[in-house]
Amino acid sequence: MNRKTLRTGAVAVVAALAFGAAAATAQAVGQPTPAPAASSGVAVTKTHEQAARELASNLLKYEGDRFTASERAELQSIANGTAPQAYGKLDALLKLLKKVKGFASAVAKNYAAFKAWYNGLPWYVLYPLKAAGVGFDLYDIWILFH
């Protein structure tokens, strides 16, 4: 890819995030809002369910060919919002994180390696997670597997 294409893509991503944040803010009028993300640079604007739906959709769109038919069906049901409701607030996101490349090996290592893996995720995986505030729960996620 040339630099112009990358710059254009980056501008499109930033614009989409800005419009998405504005739409989520307008939609959330009258609803309690979570605290903004102080250190991540991305405002926490999505519920965990919304983030799970977006992440499932992005995984299907950008990495769908590496999943089996049953995994694609499961991702599609999460993306459509027709998957059974999870018990905990992070259940759907944890299920999706297990499908992200490198998760198993990263979580098996120390926390610093896991955090480096998380920060190196592609934008289409990282932004839904950051928008849901998963970065704040990152240590808790790592601890769950240790």
Side-chain angles (χ1 to χ4, degrees):
M1 288 186 149
N2 63 29
R3 287 185 174 179
K4 185 177 181 182
T5 304
L6 289 174
R7 258 188 256 128
T8 304
V11 168
V13 168
V14 170
L17 287 173
F19 285 123
T25 303
Q27 183 181 14
V29 173
Q31 298 176 358
T33 57
S39 62
S40 69
V42 177
V44 178
T45 58
K46 295 183 187 287
T47 65
H48 292 289
E49 181 184 348
Q50 290 170 327
R53 290 177 71 178
E54 184 178 347
L55 179 56
S57 177
N58 287 348
L59 284 174
L60 280 171
K61 182 177 180 181
Y62 295 103
E63 300 179 9
D65 57 339
R66 72 177 181 89
F67 297 111
T68 65
S70 63
E71 288 175 323
R72 281 194 302 272
E74 180 182 20
L75 286 170
Q76 190 63 51
S77 70
I78 293 171
N80 293 340
T82 58
Q85 293 291 47
Y87 295 107
K89 68 176 188 170
L90 291 176
D91 286 350
L93 289 172
L94 284 174
K95 187 178 225 179
L96 290 170
L97 269 175
K98 290 178 185 177
K99 295 187 183 301
V100 175
K101 285 182 186 177
F103 176 79
S105 63
V107 80
K109 297 177 183 173
N110 62 16
Y111 178 69
F114 180 67
K115 186 171 179 167
W117 167 82
Y118 174 80
N119 289 331
L121 287 172
W123 66 268
Y124 55 87
V125 174
L126 189 61
Y127 287 138
L129 294 173
K130 282 191 173 187
V134 170
F136 296 124
D137 300 321
L138 198 57
Y139 185 74
D140 295 332
I141 292 169
W142 180 76
I143 286 293
L144 282 174
F145 294 93
H146 284 270

